[in-house]
Structure formats: structure tokens, C-alpha cells
Amino acid sequence: MTAVELLAKPGDEIQWAGYEVAAVAAVSEDLARDALRKIKVDYEVLPHVVDERDLAKVGNRAKASGEQVSGDPDQAFKDADVVSEGFYGIRCSIIVVWRRTGR
């Protein structure tokens, strides 16, 4: 084997299955395959959170989205003819990328 490079360091959070975590360089394909078989990766499955009202599920791994305030919101609500209250967020979108991996 010539070299092994960690693409994801221990403790890095992996975002999706199939994320490349290591690369191997060797003088032959057989040696490279042998080296790949010896790489062991332990994964901890973490909870999936879409709604920031569920942040308690993930502990300190996530934080609420930032709030930006300009002007005087309290006065703006008092001056408004109509006020609509609710929870506003962005729905989860799923993007699938199809690619050939040569396997």
C-alpha cells in the first residue's frame, strides 16, 4: 500500500450514506482492495430533525435558526391593522443524486 488518506476525520459528522470517508493508493488493485477491507468505520446513527421545534431530540448538536431584528417589532405589531401569528419554517426537501460508483 502506498497511502491512506482520511477524507472524514474521527468525530466528523457524516451527512448521508455513501459519503466517502477514506481513500487508498496502492501499487496494484489487489493491494488496494486488501487495504480497503482492513479499514473499519464505526457509525453512530443520529436522530434526523426537520422541524426546529424538535431540537431537544438532538441535544447540543443543533441550534435554533438565527433571528434578525431591525426596528421596533413591538411597535410595528401595535401599529398593524392585522396580525397573523404562527410557526413559519421551510419544509424538508429531498434531493437524490444518482451517480455511477463503478461497483
Side-chain angles (χ1 to χ4, degrees):
M1 178 177 43
T2 304
V4 173
E5 181 177 353
L6 295 179
L7 303 174
K9 307 299 184 237
D12 285 356
E13 190 170 309
I14 305 301
Q15 300 294 324
W16 61 85
Y19 188 89
E20 295 171 346
V21 297
V24 172
V27 294
S28 73
E29 190 172 338
D30 288 336
L31 286 174
R33 287 185 194 282
D34 289 343
L36 286 172
R37 282 189 206 97
K38 293 182 181 194
I39 295 174
K40 301 294 181 212
V41 180
D42 292 323
Y43 294 99
E44 175 188 359
V45 179
L46 301 173
H48 177 77
V49 176
V50 176
D51 189 334
E52 71 177 48
R53 293 176 289 187
D54 296 333
L55 291 182
K57 289 181 182 178
V58 295
N60 64 355
R61 288 190 326 98
K63 62 181 181 176
S65 60
E67 181 179 24
Q68 297 179 2
V69 178
S70 62
D72 185 354
D74 294 328
Q75 187 61 46
F77 282 119
K78 289 178 189 173
D79 295 343
D81 293 332
V82 177
V83 174
S84 176
E85 294 185 39
F87 179 81
Y88 304 95
I90 299 172
R91 289 186 175 187
C92 178
S93 297
I94 298 174
I95 299 171
V96 178
V97 178
W98 296 96
R99 66 182 177 130
R100 292 186 68 179
T101 60
R103 295 181 208 162

